[in-house]
Amino acid sequence: LNEALLTLVPEGEEPALELVWNSEFVDFLRTAAEVGETSPCNPSYEGYEIGKVDKICDALIQNDLIDVLEGATYPVILCHSQLDKLVTFDNLPNVDSNPFLVLQEKPGDHGTSTELCLIDNIFYIAGPEAASNVPDPKHVEGGCPVDTNAPTTTPFTTKAPKDKKAKAPKKIKTKGPKKKKTKAPKNRKKKAGYHTLP
């Protein structure tokens, strides 16, 4: 939590964050940010209250990806800016802890660096490198590959029971929208001033 992030969730007549999260939890986060507490979900923080914020804090901690990223066994590119004041660098995993983690630094604030990172992702997805990373198909022509070491069972076939009384289902007639019947106009006598078009 930091002051820059706090300014994006202003208090007012219709505070947006309270529409998504519990207002008590939002107040808890605001208070923590105001006193400079960066880990309000740490039970040692004096504002942390069991029965009020502990469950949502547990859920947030459980969904933290730092451990997942630091333990990744596949390439992960992290894109960030040193100038980002909303999501600061201390929110990133330690890229030195895992050779699969690569950090791409971008210039600018949160918005600018986000745009640059997004553009990089679009070019990656549209480029030849991403196309070469397509996994092998699970299914092959002629069926799935057979594991010859797997235990086998005797193949068998089943027949559906025949029901002599079974008949084809009846067709159901559906009625479409009713058409309005229109009557042809009756021949009217020509009145003065009326002309018939050829």
Side-chain angles (χ1 to χ4, degrees):
L1 294 173
N2 58 52
E3 290 300 320
L5 188 58
L6 191 63
T7 61
L8 291 180
V9 282
E11 296 177 70
E13 290 179 20
E14 286 191 44
L17 200 55
E18 278 87 342
L19 295 175
V20 179
W21 282 2
N22 176 296
S23 61
E24 287 182 17
F25 187 71
V26 174
D27 290 341
F28 163 73
L29 293 177
R30 281 199 175 102
T31 303
E34 287 167 1
V35 298
E37 177 59 54
T38 58
S39 299
C41 284
N42 185 337
S44 65
Y45 166 54
E46 65 183 44
Y48 181 92
E49 292 181 52
I50 294 178
K52 259 192 169 178
V53 297
D54 55 325
K55 298 294 182 195
I56 197 163
C57 277
D58 288 347
L60 290 171
I61 291 166
Q62 189 176 21
N63 287 287
D64 183 12
L65 293 177
I66 298 290
D67 293 338
V68 172
L69 291 171
E70 289 180 352
T73 57
Y74 44 85
V76 177
I77 299 172
L78 301 166
C79 190
H80 204 42
S81 170
Q82 290 275 4
L83 301 175
D84 190 334
K85 292 181 179 174
L86 292 180
V87 181
T88 57
F89 246 64
D90 57 345
N91 286 289
L92 294 177
N94 179 4
V95 292
D96 297 330
S97 69
N98 186 338
F100 287 104
L101 297 181
V102 176
L103 176 63
Q104 289 182 350
E105 290 193 47
K106 298 293 178 189
D109 61 7
H110 182 77
T112 303
S113 62
T114 299
E115 288 173 9
L116 294 171
C117 292
L118 181 60
I119 289 168
D120 280 357
N121 280 319
I122 291 169
F123 281 125
Y124 174 78
I125 291 168
E129 187 178 347
S132 68
N133 287 331
V134 176
D136 293 331
K138 291 183 180 180
H139 302 285
V140 294
E141 191 173 324
C144 295
V146 177
D147 182 0
T148 56
N149 296 323
T152 59
T153 59
T154 306
F156 61 93
T157 58
T158 61
K159 292 183 180 178
K162 293 181 180 179
D163 184 0
K164 294 179 183 178
K165 295 179 183 177
K167 294 180 182 178
K170 292 181 181 179
K171 291 184 180 178
I172 299 173
K173 293 183 182 179
T174 57
K175 294 182 180 180
K178 289 185 178 182
K179 294 182 182 178
K180 290 184 178 180
K181 293 182 181 179
T182 56
K183 294 181 182 180
K186 295 180 182 179
N187 290 337
R188 295 183 181 179
K189 293 180 181 178
K190 292 182 183 178
K191 293 183 180 178
Y194 286 89
H195 302 282
T196 306
L197 296 175

